[in-house]
Amino acid sequence: METQLFEQLQFTENTVYENLITEILENSYSIIDDFFDASEIEELRDSLKDIYEADCFKKAAIGDKFNEEVDKTIRGDFILWINEAEGRAVERRFFNKINNLVDYLNRTCFLGILQKEFHYAVYPTGTFYKRHLDTFQNDDRRKLSMVCYLNDDSWVATNGGELTLYLPSENGETALDIIPKPGRMVIFESQVLEHEVKPVLASERLSITGWLKTR
C-alpha cells in the first residue's frame, strides 16, 4: 500500500503523452511531429542505411509467422526486425523512449501492453502496401500500431508514399492521407483502422514500424 502511494506521488503528467491519449480515444489515431528530435532521427536513419547497404534486409511478407507469404502485388517493402537487447546503441535509445511511453500508457490507461515488436522498413520507388488491418485471425495481440518516418529533409510530398488511414464517418468512411514527413510519428489502433501505403513515386521511403501488444 505504501509503495503504491509512493508511486502515485511520483507520477508526473506528460503533456505530449496526454495529447496522444486524448486523440486516440477520440479519433483512434494520433500524429506527433516532434516525438523524436532531429538528431535522434538522423542517427536512426544512418543506422538503417548502414544495415540496408550491407544487404541485411529481407523482402517483407504478408501473414503471421505461421503463414508467411511474399506477394509483391500486396506489399513491396524491405524490412529488418530490431532486437531491443542486441541492437545498436541508437536502437536501444529508441526503445528506451518507447518503453517510457508504454509505461505511461499502462499506468494511465491500463492497456496491459506487455510486448512490442519493431522493424526498419524501406520502400523503394514504385513500391506500396495495399489496404489492410494490422491484426490476424489467430492473433489479436496487436493493440497500437506505430510508424516513425526517417526520411531526410529533402523528402517532398510529391515523392508519394503517404500513409492513408480509413476513418469511420457519418457517410461511411473518410480517407486521411498522411505525408511521411521526417520525424513524424503516427500511432493508431491496430484492430480498428484499415490503412495502406500509397506508391512511392520517387526516392526511398524510410521508417521504423512496430506494434504494442498484449500478452
Side-chain angles (χ1 to χ4, degrees), residues 9 14-15 24-25 27 36 40 49 56 68 76 112 144 146 150 181 196:
L9 291 174
N14 184 303
T15 302
I24 291 178
L25 288 174
N27 307 311
F36 294 97
E40 292 171 322
K49 287 183 174 180
C56 294
E68 287 189 336
L144 292 176
M146 305 178 65
L150 305 181
K181 175 184 175 182
E196 68 175 308

Side-chain angles (χ1 to χ4, degrees), residues 36 44 90-98 118 148 208:
F36 294 97
L44 287 166
V90 61
E91 280 100 35
R92 291 196 294 272
R93 289 193 292 272
F94 168 84
F95 277 111
N96 284 340
K97 205 156 189 177
I98 295 299
F118 284 88
C148 179
I208 291 182

Side-chain angles (χ1 to χ4, degrees), residues 33-74:
D33 284 338
D34 55 358
F35 191 87
F36 294 97
D37 63 35
S39 62
E40 292 171 322
I41 293 299
E42 182 178 6
E43 289 179 343
L44 287 166
R45 179 170 60 249
D46 289 344
S47 181
L48 179 155
K49 287 183 174 180
D50 285 345
I51 303 171
Y52 187 63
E53 290 171 359
D55 201 26
C56 294
F57 280 53
K58 70 173 185 177
K59 198 75 178 65
I62 58 173
D64 60 22
K65 63 181 180 181
F66 301 108
N67 188 29
E68 287 189 336
E69 177 186 358
V70 174
D71 188 340
K72 294 181 180 179
T73 67
I74 295 178

Side-chain angles (χ1 to χ4, degrees), residues 9-27:
L9 291 174
Q10 291 297 306
F11 178 76
T12 301
E13 184 174 286
N14 184 303
T15 302
V16 173
Y17 293 170
E18 288 295 330
N19 289 339
L20 180 157
I21 291 168
T22 298
E23 290 176 352
I24 291 178
L25 288 174
E26 293 179 351
N27 307 311

Side-chain angles (χ1 to χ4, degrees), residues 17 35-36 40 43-44 47 80-104 113-120 146 148 185 208-213:
Y17 293 170
F35 191 87
F36 294 97
E40 292 171 322
E43 289 179 343
L44 287 166
S47 181
L80 177 75
W81 293 99
I82 308 171
N83 187 304
E84 181 175 4
E86 300 175 3
R88 301 180 177 188
V90 61
E91 280 100 35
R92 291 196 294 272
R93 289 193 292 272
F94 168 84
F95 277 111
N96 284 340
K97 205 156 189 177
I98 295 299
N99 289 337
N100 286 337
L101 172 60
V102 169
D103 290 343
Y104 196 94
I113 302 298
L114 298 175
Q115 298 176 346
K116 54 190 173 298
E117 53 186 13
F118 284 88
H119 62 64
Y120 284 127
M146 305 178 65
C148 179
M185 187 166 76
I208 291 182
T209 299
W211 299 270
L212 304 184
K213 306 166 63 176

Side-chain angles (χ1 to χ4, degrees), residues 130-147:
K130 287 190 174 181
R131 181 171 173 168
H132 63 285
L133 197 64
D134 280 350
T135 190
F136 308 111
Q137 289 184 345
N138 61 348
D139 186 351
D140 63 352
R141 291 175 297 165
R142 291 178 175 177
K143 299 303 177 185
L144 292 176
S145 301
M146 305 178 65
V147 185

